[in-house]
Amino acid sequence: MSGAKTFSESWYRIAGETLSLRPGLKVQRQYFRGEKWYVLQDPYNNQYFRLRPAAYEFVARLGRGRTVGEVWEQCLEQSPEDAPGQEEAIRLLSQLYNANLLRYQCPEDTLVLFQRYEKQREREIRSRLISFMFPRITLFDPDRFLTTTLPYIRWLFGWLGVLLWLGVAGFGLKCVLDNSGTLLSQGQGLLAPQNLPWLYLALVLTKVIHEFGHAYLCRHYGGEVHRMGLMFLIFTPMPFVDATSAWSFRSRRQRMLVGAAGMIVEIFVAAIAAVVWSMTVPGVLHSLCFNIMVIASVSTVIFNANPLLRFDGYYILSDLLDIPNLHERANRQLLFIAQRVLFGNRDARSQSRSRGEACLLFVFAVLSFIYRVIVFGSMILIIADSYLALGVILAVGFIFSWVLVPVFRMFKFLLTDPSLGRRRFRACAASAGLVLGIVAFLRIIPFPHHFRAPGVLEASPASHMYVQTPGLLTRVSVLPGAQVKAGDPLLEFTSPDLESQWTTMEAKFRELEAYERKALEESTADLEPLRVLREAVENQKAQLVRSRDELILRAQHDGAWSGPDLTPIIGTWIGKGREVGSIVSPGAYVFRAVVSKADAARLFGGKAPPAQVRLESQAGRRIRVPAYEIIPMQQSELPSQALGWHGGGEVRTEPSQGGAPRAVEPFFEVMATVPPADDLVLRHGLPGRVRFSLPAEPLWDQWARRFRQMLQKRYRI
């Protein structure tokens, strides 16, 4: 009874009543972390209730003509350290009452007492408010179907099934890796209107198979499955199955396997879909398999396998740690910390049995809350990108469920919860002080403020070399780093098409000369048209001469040749406009940064904030920039391919059309002077980032600005 409240002011209302557990309940023992627990099973509705040994000793003694007070005193006499206190006994009886596990004949005031202490009703209210988008409708009882068909697939639960799963999953992964480029390209249209029917069909098929995976394995180990139907996940009907009978399994391994069965089946289905997708051409089957593959893999990792959400991974972690009701106990541990630290309630009881378990519960509660906010917030943004109205509806529901409801519950707890008693004023004052402290922390205290922008280091002067005439690379005359002079050949190309045009043009030129000689002898009136035609052909021939000369790429000025070694790709066709290197004459270096429109707005006007450059090869060194210039004009062409997505950078670029890469969103260019230093190794074309240090601002102002910029950027709001 250590840490529990021994006596209660409301005990007199229940002490004289005669209660007992309902007949017909099944009781099983389980062990969690070496501790004994008892599981009460109601065979009529397939519900379960876990009790610690001391609590079970108390409720098991009820009845037989003894009152609740007599039973409690008997337990206290036999086990003074472990027996539940009066407050805990009232709470336990109210939970059993609301779970319909008690047989009773209580007066009205006792029922009111139960209702005041019961937590089930609070959970139901919270479930209606928070999970209003996740109602469940039971459609049928699948137990007979599972029992009939189980003998035909039981072999899948042995080693033969394991080997089959490993082989199919491995081959499916190979198909995905071999076609990763096509997968990424097709994935960009996942939420396109024309793909939504296939996406939803794949989602339903995958989840039906997922739920049957749980049901079959649960039935294989002897559990009963009596409920299967639909749940509405954000207004979308999805299948569900009730496999809670697995809670009664004594084997932790069996409980974990039942929890993982759905994910195991999904990965198997995803692998089969990947194989079919990789072997088919665009069409109905190809689209369906692609969506099944994405749903069965992405949803498994983000939702089902992640223990921070209350899906399969959560129950597996709960069994792995031997901590039943992990989510509820973690939240109660946070409430215990608040009551003990803020409210000074020394009677508050911890949900942990050790310091390590207390830390584990605290960390789980915090991480699960953060992860849920990130996942559902990201889902809302992704949906709003394609369907703004639906995203707004989901955002309103999110704010209502995750902000307004918790605030309402907090006020209700502070004003009405009987556990606070005489500490209610301190609890209210401490809560108000905590809220004011958080507000002051966010709105008043200034914090360092900065932003970063990618860029590339360039020598000054330097000239970029582009292919002027497309052709086959036949010779690399200069290797990177070599010194060259103006006019020196760098690369040589050949163009069969150009040679064919040259041959045709020479033949046409000779033909015109013959016609001119004939006109001199027979008809001088034809000379003038022939001369005009000859001038046109000469102009075309001159253009061909220039194009032939451009097949040899020459240095424009003295300097060092900087660029990749193209020797390994000799014989490859290189298109017009491709950058192949630069001629560098290092005198000074300039860092050309690409700054987004939202960030550039804070650089125009007023005092220029200090800036520092950090180069990729020297990440530990920050180079202070003495001066920089903002080009007051929006641009789209990136200064280097290394800054775009296709070059490994972070700037989103349009599909390559030749020439310099173009950013999807316009930007402003900042030219920052990088001073030389003895301990710096500066090299033309080296990527990096520039960091602008802005005046300190409260976190609230920084986050609010970012949020507004995000709305303007994504939704033009």
Side-chain angles (χ1 to χ4, degrees):
M1 197 166 53
S2 175
K5 187 173 182 180
T6 307
F7 302 104
S8 171
E9 298 174 354
S10 303
W11 181 249
Y12 72 93
R13 297 187 179 182
I14 194 64
E17 302 301 328
T18 302
L19 307 173
S20 65
L21 291 175
R22 266 183 40 208
L25 296 180
K26 296 181 180 180
V27 182
Q28 291 183 342
R29 284 183 298 178
Q30 290 183 349
Y31 288 87
F32 296 94
R33 299 196 133 199
E35 297 181 7
K36 185 191 299 183
W37 287 69
Y38 289 88
V39 178
L40 305 181
Q41 178 187 0
D42 186 352
Y44 295 103
N45 55 20
N46 204 35
Q47 291 184 347
Y48 297 85
F49 196 91
R50 285 193 179 102
L51 294 172
R52 293 186 181 273
Y56 177 73
E57 288 292 331
F58 171 69
V59 299
R61 295 172 184 268
L62 294 174
R64 302 174 187 174
R66 291 177 291 187
T67 65
V68 173
E70 292 173 348
V71 172
W72 181 78
E73 290 177 358
Q74 189 178 33
C75 291
L76 185 64
E77 202 174 300
Q78 293 186 355
S79 303
E81 293 296 327
D82 298 327
Q86 292 179 354
E87 192 83 19
E88 184 181 355
I90 294 175
R91 185 180 296 109
L92 174 62
L93 292 175
S94 68
Q95 291 172 343
L96 293 173
Y97 161 75
N98 285 279
N100 199 25
L101 300 178
L102 282 182
R103 184 173 61 180
Y104 56 90
Q105 289 182 350
C106 300
E108 187 66 23
D109 61 338
T110 302
L111 296 181
V112 172
L113 176 66
F114 279 158
Q115 293 173 1
R116 193 181 77 180
Y117 277 95
E118 55 92 11
K119 297 296 183 183
Q120 181 68 23
R121 178 168 300 176
E122 291 185 3
R123 286 197 296 269
E124 291 177 356
I125 295 175
R126 182 178 61 199
S127 177
R128 294 191 191 103
L129 294 175
I130 297 181
S131 302
F132 72 98
M133 295 182 292
F134 308 95
R136 293 191 175 193
I137 302 175
T138 301
L139 296 180
F140 66 97
D141 184 345
D143 198 67
R144 179 177 296 180
F145 172 79
L146 296 174
T147 305
T148 304
T149 56
L150 183 61
Y152 299 101
I153 63 171
R154 195 182 297 272
W155 62 274
L156 290 173
F157 304 137
W159 283 107
L160 184 59
V162 173
L163 294 176
L164 176 64
W165 186 91
L166 291 174
V168 173
F171 187 63
L173 179 61
K174 178 182 182 299
C175 293
V176 170
L177 295 177
D178 292 342
N179 299 274
S180 58
T182 306
L183 178 64
L184 293 175
S185 176
Q186 192 171 351
Q188 295 178 358
L190 186 65
L191 294 179
Q194 63 271 20
N195 188 61
L196 288 183
W198 300 115
L199 183 66
Y200 179 68
L201 179 60
L203 185 64
V204 172
L205 292 176
T206 302
K207 294 310 173 185
V208 167
I209 298 173
H210 175 103
E211 297 302 328
F212 269 106
H214 290 305
Y216 270 114
L217 195 57
C218 182
R219 203 69 188 86
H220 172 70
Y221 288 132
E224 297 182 358
V225 182
H226 292 289
R227 294 178 61 207
M228 195 167 192
L230 293 176
M231 68 173 292
F232 289 83
L233 181 64
I234 316 181
F235 310 117
T236 305
M238 298 293 299
F240 85 93
V241 67
D242 183 4
T244 53
S245 59
W247 293 358
S248 63
F249 296 164
R250 293 187 178 182
S251 170
R252 180 174 63 174
R253 173 179 169 274
Q254 292 179 355
R255 296 195 301 269
M256 294 174 62
L257 285 175
V258 171
M263 294 182 290
I264 294 173
V265 173
E266 277 200 42
I267 293 176
F268 185 79
V269 171
I272 295 177
V275 174
V276 177
W277 169 78
S278 66
M279 295 181 177
T280 55
V281 296
V284 173
L285 182 61
H286 186 80
S287 298
L288 182 60
C289 288
F290 167 76
N291 286 278
I292 290 177
M293 174 177 58
V294 173
I295 290 294
S297 55
V298 174
S299 66
T300 296
V301 173
I302 297 179
F303 295 101
N304 293 103
N306 196 299
L308 299 177
L309 297 175
R310 298 188 68 178
F311 294 111
D312 297 339
Y314 161 77
Y315 295 104
I316 295 173
L317 178 65
S318 181
D319 285 319
L320 183 64
L321 299 177
D322 269 344
I323 303 179
N325 302 323
L326 175 60
H327 183 270
E328 182 179 354
R329 292 180 63 188
N331 290 336
R332 288 184 177 179
Q333 183 68 17
L334 288 182
L335 181 60
F336 158 75
I337 294 174
Q339 291 198 34
R340 181 65 66 91
V341 177
L342 295 178
F343 307 159
N345 186 2
R346 297 301 173 185
D347 295 327
R349 187 171 184 179
S350 174
Q351 295 296 308
S352 63
R353 292 299 183 106
S354 64
R355 182 172 297 180
E357 186 176 326
C359 294
L360 182 62
L361 292 175
F362 175 79
V363 171
F364 177 83
V366 174
L367 291 182
S368 63
F369 175 79
I370 295 174
Y371 185 77
R372 283 190 308 237
V373 171
I374 293 175
V375 168
F376 289 108
S378 301
M379 287 178 57
I380 291 173
L381 292 176
I382 293 174
I383 293 174
D385 286 344
S386 301
Y387 310 97
L388 182 59
L390 180 59
V392 171
I393 294 174
L394 296 179
V396 171
F398 183 85
I399 294 173
F400 178 79
S401 302
W402 292 65
V403 179
L404 299 181
V405 171
V407 171
F408 171 78
R409 293 179 58 238
M410 181 188 71
F411 276 107
K412 181 181 178 182
F413 174 80
L414 292 175
L415 298 177
T416 64
D417 194 276
S419 65
L420 295 179
R422 299 177 180 177
R423 304 178 184 87
R424 195 173 309 280
F425 176 78
R426 171 175 173 174
C428 293
S431 300
L434 179 62
V435 172
L436 291 176
I438 294 175
V439 171
F441 179 79
L442 295 177
R443 295 301 304 269
I444 298 177
I445 302 177
F447 281 86
H449 187 203
H450 61 268
F451 70 89
R452 297 180 176 89
V456 63
L457 187 68
E458 291 188 352
S460 180
S463 58
H464 297 275
M465 303 298 295
Y466 298 94
V467 175
Q468 300 297 324
T469 300
L472 295 172
L473 179 64
T474 57
R475 182 180 179 184
V476 177
S477 303
V478 178
L479 295 178
Q483 294 293 324
V484 297
K485 295 183 178 180
D488 286 351
L490 304 173
L491 305 173
E492 295 184 17
F493 302 87
T494 58
S495 175
D497 292 341
L498 197 61
E499 293 300 326
S500 176
Q501 294 177 27
W502 177 261
T503 302
T504 302
M505 193 62 62
E506 283 190 325
K508 192 172 184 180
F509 191 78
R510 288 194 296 270
E511 182 181 7
L512 287 174
E513 287 182 335
Y515 279 127
E516 286 183 354
R517 287 194 297 270
K518 182 178 179 181
L520 287 173
E521 297 175 358
E522 300 179 356
S523 175
T524 57
D526 295 333
L527 285 176
E528 187 61 27
L530 289 174
R531 287 195 182 97
V532 173
L533 184 59
R534 179 176 180 177
E535 289 179 0
V537 172
E538 287 178 343
N539 290 334
Q540 294 179 8
K541 187 176 180 181
Q543 179 61 38
L544 287 177
V545 170
R546 288 193 295 270
S547 297
R548 292 183 69 184
D549 292 341
E550 290 173 348
L551 289 174
I552 301 178
L553 190 64
R554 300 180 181 275
Q556 297 178 355
H557 56 79
D558 297 351
W561 171 244
S562 175
D565 184 8
L566 301 181
T567 304
I569 63 170
I570 289 179
T572 303
W573 180 271
I574 299 181
K576 181 178 180 179
R578 176 176 171 179
E579 182 180 355
V580 291
S582 303
I583 303 296
V584 180
S585 302
Y589 283 90
V590 174
F591 189 83
R592 300 177 63 185
V594 173
V595 182
S596 66
K597 292 191 295 183
D599 290 331
R602 287 175 282 176
L603 298 180
F604 289 107
K607 184 179 179 181
Q612 295 176 326
V613 170
R614 179 177 290 183
L615 299 176
E616 189 175 276
S617 62
Q618 303 174 57
R621 173 71 185 275
R622 290 181 179 177
I623 307 170
R624 186 178 179 277
V625 175
Y628 59 85
E629 178 186 2
I630 307 171
I631 308 300
M633 180 181 64
Q634 291 188 14
Q635 302 185 44
S636 295
E637 291 189 0
L638 295 177
S640 172
Q641 292 183 351
L643 301 180
W645 277 9
H646 297 288
E650 59 186 79
V651 181
R652 185 181 176 187
T653 54
E654 296 177 349
S656 178
Q657 301 293 336
R662 298 180 64 87
V664 172
E665 297 180 359
F667 60 86
F668 287 89
E669 185 174 346
V670 175
M671 308 284 289
T673 302
V674 178
D678 295 338
D679 57 344
L680 283 177
V681 179
L682 303 180
R683 188 173 69 251
H684 180 80
L686 192 64
R689 296 169 70 88
V690 59
R691 182 179 186 268
F692 296 95
S693 299
L694 302 173
E697 284 184 334
L699 292 177
W700 181 270
D701 296 338
Q702 298 181 28
W703 296 345
R705 182 186 298 106
R706 287 293 181 184
F707 182 71
R708 290 194 302 270
Q709 291 174 351
M710 184 269 295
L711 293 179
Q712 294 171 357
K713 178 180 178 180
R714 299 176 75 123
Y715 313 116
R716 302 296 187 265
I717 297 177

